[in-house]
Amino acid sequence: MADYQQTMQNVKCQILDLWMDLIDEKLNSSEYFELLKGILLQYFGISKSEYLHLDKDNFYPVSIDAAHENITQGIPSKLLEQHLHQDYPFPSAFVDILKKKYDFADDVIVLREVNQKPFGIIIVQETVDWKEFAKTKYIYDFEILISRVIQLIQKNIRATYEQKMNLELVRMTSIFHSSMDIDRILKALLHGVRSALPKFESKLILSNDQDRHLTVDTHTFDYMSERSSTIEAFVSGDLKIEQATDIKWCVLNAPIKGRQGIYGVLQIFAPLNYVFGKQEKDLIMHIAETSGNALENAKLYHQSHRLVSDLQLINETSHRLNMKLNQEEMLLFLAKQLTKSFNPDEICFVLKENDVYQVTTGSTDFFFENESMPYLKYVGDHFDESTDALFVADFSKLVVDKVSLMSMMAIPIIIREKVHGFSIVLHNNPYFFSFDSFKLMQSLIRHSSLAISNTILRDQLQEMVDRDHLTKLFARKYLDRYVEISMDKDEGGVFILLDIDDFKMINDTYGHQKGDAILVTIAQHLIDTVQEQGICARWGGEEIAIYLPNQTLLASIDLVDKIVASVPEVTTPSVTVSSGVAAWQKNLNHNFHNVFQNADIALYEAKNNGKNQFRLFEMDDVTN
């Protein structure tokens, strides 16, 4: 059983290494899965496998790019639904369904969300190693690990896709709002659509273009000949999708509309039964609406010039925020960008800490005073119920309290589809901020939300590397690095090695769960006792190490004595610890291996002398 535990640990480490190496690479789902297949081959000898993701009630191979292929190649989820919530081993009927399409299918890894809802499956060709592994309890840990990894990969891919689309939108919109030439605007519209969706056909239907001399290939809107879905999109101003079996196409109709009217319909033709994803629909609608506004406002050169500058600011901000800054640096930079763009009187950033909103770095002094409470309460209450941004021309009309700052824009900071905080800008004058400013601030905060999310993810990954999962003590590798750095820069230090006495008997008598609980209790007690004097790390099994930089052997006696005496008092059932203590000094040319060896010898003496005590490895012994 221990071998499989080590296998799980190795798999975790290798996946983490791959993630750290590839986090900045723009790989697609298929390329990521090829790397995961390598892990399946290395540890279980599985040479054939396939990942199918669940989308719109069908399972599709990851090798199929869902944006460009006919979705009828998927396996209906209803065929597998009754088996997906069963435990290993899965019934033969489940595997038989998959064998009809994948002849190598012998077993399945079900990928589940945190709420246990399946979101995909990995079909594998069974091997002896895999068959034995699947009988152990670690199969469930493996399923959770792979599920979480693939979810992280999918989030990373979505973020990369959004970034790519945003760059294309920046390019298109810069053309839309820098020209008064209708022909040029329409050319940019079609070019942008075909660049973003190169495998789909597109068609531009415009109303009332008789007085224009266009070189762009467009069609005139005709109520008598257009499809009903096209007419409905044109009249309602909403995106409409039709599975047109008569022409064997899925037709998406996006209205090209401005603030005062609808000027045409952009048609996208995909394979029959294709299901447009939310990102694609949002992208197409954004393109259609942006081009509609450009058509309507082509003559307003100065306004379009400002919008181009705003988009350049977004691009600049995105680039800076993705330079691996920490959270404080991001917020300070963003505060400068908001000040430069909107000239507000007050700025605030609020982030959630333990589900409580806290004013953070980058905020002006006003938001640390009681006078700001009406604004913070109003905005906080709003974002507890909604993710919609706030655009307020006169705040005094919304609250009973007397307020001095009238204009307000408040944008949520959304991470993993939840409100993680918000940003507020205020101005003394009512109606100070324009609607264009509101949209720009939304873009800036949306991009910063992604950067903050990436920072949180990086911190979580680093925490996984540096900390022991069970005890939350530092990991042994972290301690090794810490001591090596200390031995380079400090004049001396003390290394303490503790071992829980008769820990195997505790596990055998009370069970491993109680043993784990004792380990956690002792770990927290050591952290509270040592505090800022040094660091605590899990050395291995029931052994825990403490390192005290710039400490002498004599000075550490009180601390070790206190630990040995207090551990039985804080543990239930009561346990004792034995400890070995060793010191090093720079003038004696020690290395970490010597210090650890000395502490281990002292620990061995403590064990042999009756346990529940500590022993010092004297400096005289080191010299001899």
Side-chain angles (χ1 to χ4, degrees):
M1 194 66 70
D3 290 341
Y4 290 120
Q5 184 178 15
Q6 185 60 48
T7 297
M8 275 300 303
Q9 189 64 33
N10 293 341
V11 170
K12 287 180 181 178
C13 291
Q14 187 160 345
I15 286 176
L16 181 60
D17 288 341
L18 284 174
W19 180 261
M20 296 298 289
D21 290 340
L22 301 173
I23 192 168
D24 292 326
E25 298 292 334
K26 293 180 172 57
L27 303 183
N28 58 37
S29 297
S30 180
E31 290 169 329
Y32 273 118
F33 185 64
E34 284 300 316
L35 297 173
L36 292 178
K37 286 169 73 173
I39 294 175
L40 293 176
L41 177 63
Q42 178 179 349
Y43 291 99
F44 306 107
I46 296 172
S47 59
K48 290 187 178 181
S49 57
E50 182 59 73
Y51 165 43
L52 278 64
H53 67 280
L54 180 61
D55 185 23
K56 304 294 182 182
D57 300 322
N58 284 272
F59 284 94
Y60 307 108
V62 73
S63 56
I64 293 179
D65 186 348
H68 299 141
E69 298 288 345
N70 192 322
I71 67 162
T72 57
Q73 298 177 22
I75 299 176
S77 60
K78 62 182 179 182
L79 297 178
L80 310 178
E81 199 167 25
Q82 61 179 319
H83 305 295
L84 291 176
H85 299 284
Q86 299 183 24
D87 292 330
Y88 295 93
F90 293 103
S92 299
F94 187 18
V95 177
D96 289 342
I97 294 171
L98 299 171
K99 274 188 175 292
K100 293 178 181 178
K101 193 170 182 64
Y102 302 94
D103 57 359
F104 63 86
D106 294 322
D107 203 354
V108 179
I109 303 167
V110 179
L111 307 175
R112 309 175 195 273
E113 299 174 352
V114 176
N115 62 6
Q116 295 299 305
K117 182 179 179 181
F119 69 87
I121 57 176
I122 296 178
I123 304 169
V124 299
Q125 186 179 45
E126 198 172 66
T127 63
V128 174
D129 289 342
W130 173 259
K131 190 173 182 179
E132 291 300 317
F133 177 79
K135 294 177 182 177
T136 71
K137 64 180 181 180
Y138 297 105
I139 184 65
Y140 301 100
D141 294 337
F142 186 77
E143 176 188 278
I144 293 171
L145 173 65
I146 296 299
S147 297
R148 289 178 179 173
V149 168
I150 289 181
Q151 283 181 308
L152 285 173
I153 288 171
Q154 289 173 340
K155 288 181 180 179
N156 192 44
I157 290 171
R158 285 196 294 269
T160 301
Y161 176 81
E162 286 184 1
Q163 184 181 32
K164 177 184 175 182
M165 291 303 99
N166 285 340
L167 289 174
E168 178 60 23
L169 290 175
V170 168
R171 188 198 66 79
M172 289 177 56
T173 312
S174 65
I175 295 175
F176 288 160
H177 297 285
S178 63
S179 174
M180 294 183 290
D181 186 339
I182 298 298
D183 199 57
R184 187 181 177 197
I185 291 173
L186 297 177
K187 283 180 180 179
L189 165 62
L190 290 174
H191 179 270
V193 170
R194 289 161 186 168
S195 296
L197 305 170
K199 296 294 182 68
F200 296 159
E201 297 294 330
S202 58
K203 179 180 178 181
L204 189 57
I205 304 174
L206 298 177
S207 65
N208 231 352
D209 277 312
Q210 299 89 335
D211 57 343
R212 307 191 189 280
H213 302 282
L214 301 176
T215 61
V216 181
D217 183 17
T218 61
H219 301 264
T220 302
F221 190 93
D222 184 358
Y223 278 98
M224 302 300 294
S225 60
E226 300 300 339
R227 304 189 68 83
S228 58
S229 59
T230 307
I231 296 173
E232 188 176 356
F234 184 79
V235 173
S236 67
D238 298 325
L239 184 144
K240 300 295 179 182
I241 299 175
E242 174 190 5
Q243 298 295 341
T245 54
D246 57 327
I247 58 174
K248 298 183 179 180
W249 289 105
C250 171
V251 183
L252 180 147
N253 299 277
I256 301 172
K257 58 182 179 180
R259 295 184 180 88
Q260 299 179 7
I262 299 171
Y263 304 97
V265 175
L266 172 64
Q267 286 188 330
I268 307 294
F269 296 89
L272 190 63
N273 296 322
Y274 183 80
V275 178
F276 284 94
K278 183 179 183 301
Q279 282 183 320
E280 292 173 316
K281 290 189 287 188
D282 289 346
L283 170 66
I284 294 167
M285 280 301 297
H286 185 88
I287 292 173
E289 290 179 1
T290 306
S291 61
N293 284 328
L295 288 170
E296 183 176 79
N297 301 308
K299 64 181 180 179
L300 303 177
Y301 171 78
H302 296 288
Q303 179 182 5
S304 64
H305 180 73
R306 180 186 174 186
L307 289 175
V308 173
S309 300
D310 291 347
L311 288 168
Q312 290 172 345
L313 176 66
I314 294 171
N315 196 29
E316 173 196 341
T317 304
S318 294
H319 179 72
R320 180 67 182 273
L321 290 175
N322 284 288
M323 292 174 63
K324 294 188 178 180
L325 305 176
N326 61 41
Q327 186 170 289
E328 181 176 347
E329 291 171 332
M330 288 181 184
L331 294 177
L332 288 172
F333 171 73
L334 195 57
K336 291 181 180 178
Q337 296 295 83
L338 295 179
T339 301
K340 179 172 66 174
S341 301
F342 310 122
N343 196 29
D345 289 318
E346 306 292 348
I347 292 177
C348 176
F349 295 101
V350 174
L351 296 176
K352 270 188 178 178
E353 294 181 13
N354 299 321
D355 291 328
V356 177
Y357 288 122
Q358 300 287 345
V359 179
T360 65
T361 303
S363 305
T364 53
D365 293 341
F366 170 81
F367 283 98
F368 293 96
E369 300 171 357
N370 290 334
E371 191 180 354
S372 67
M373 289 308 299
Y375 302 95
L376 293 173
K377 186 178 186 309
Y378 182 87
V379 176
D381 290 346
H382 172 78
F383 288 131
D384 282 339
E385 302 294 331
S386 173
T387 59
D388 295 335
L390 286 171
F391 182 57
V392 179
D394 190 347
F395 188 72
S396 64
K397 296 179 180 178
L398 299 178
V399 292
V400 177
D401 305 272
K402 185 179 180 181
V403 292
S404 57
L405 296 151
M406 303 302 177
S407 293
M408 179 177 75
M409 297 190 292
I411 313 298
I413 296 174
I414 297 177
I415 297 177
R416 298 172 188 169
E417 300 180 359
K418 292 183 179 179
V419 176
H420 185 73
F422 51 84
S423 176
I424 303 175
V425 294
L426 300 174
H427 197 275
N428 290 326
N429 300 332
Y431 300 93
F432 178 79
F433 301 116
S434 68
F435 188 72
D436 286 340
S437 296
F438 177 57
K439 300 301 288 184
L440 175 60
M441 184 173 172
Q442 283 182 293
S443 296
L444 290 172
I445 299 302
R446 179 165 62 87
H447 284 74
S448 67
S449 298
L450 178 60
I452 292 171
S453 177
N454 287 339
T455 299
I456 291 172
L457 179 60
R458 286 199 302 270
D459 292 344
Q460 289 174 342
L461 289 171
Q462 191 61 49
E463 185 78 4
M464 290 171 62
V465 174
D466 293 342
R467 296 278 183 179
D468 173 62
H469 176 71
L470 174 65
T471 62
K472 306 309 177 187
L473 296 172
F474 285 108
R476 181 167 176 172
K477 284 186 177 180
Y478 182 90
L479 178 70
D480 291 348
R481 294 195 303 270
Y482 186 92
V483 175
E484 287 170 359
I485 293 172
S486 172
M487 296 184 83
D488 283 339
K489 69 176 184 177
D490 297 329
E491 295 301 317
V494 174
F495 185 80
I496 304 168
L497 199 57
L498 298 104
D499 185 84
I500 302 174
D501 297 327
D502 304 315
F503 191 66
K504 184 177 185 303
M505 185 179 69
I506 294 293
N507 282 332
D508 293 343
T509 304
Y510 299 98
H512 288 275
Q513 188 172 3
K514 176 58 72 174
D516 287 347
I518 289 173
L519 271 170
V520 171
T521 299
I522 293 175
Q524 187 57 53
H525 178 63
L526 292 178
I527 292 171
D528 295 339
T529 303
V530 174
Q531 296 185 350
E532 302 300 320
Q533 299 178 67
I535 67 168
C536 305
R538 188 172 182 183
W539 191 253
E542 64 270 26
E543 289 187 319
I544 297 175
I546 300 172
Y547 179 69
L548 309 173
N550 290 315
Q551 183 74 283
T552 64
L553 197 61
L554 291 176
S556 66
I557 290 176
D558 288 343
L559 176 65
V560 182
D561 187 45
K562 179 180 178 182
I563 290 172
V564 172
S566 60
V567 165
E569 299 175 0
V570 300
T571 52
T572 306
S574 180
V575 299
T576 62
V577 295
S578 299
S579 175
V581 186
W584 68 273
Q585 291 179 0
K586 191 159 236 177
N587 58 354
L588 295 179
N589 296 321
H590 285 119
N591 59 44
F592 182 40
H593 178 73
N594 299 143
V595 178
F596 157 65
Q597 200 170 38
N598 295 342
D600 198 40
I601 291 171
L603 173 61
Y604 183 76
E605 291 177 1
K607 288 283 188 182
N608 285 343
N609 280 279
K611 305 177 183 178
N612 190 25
Q613 57 185 278
F614 69 91
R615 284 288 182 267
L616 306 178
F617 193 92
E618 300 291 348
M619 291 304 298
D620 290 342
D621 297 334
V622 177
T623 305
N624 293 335

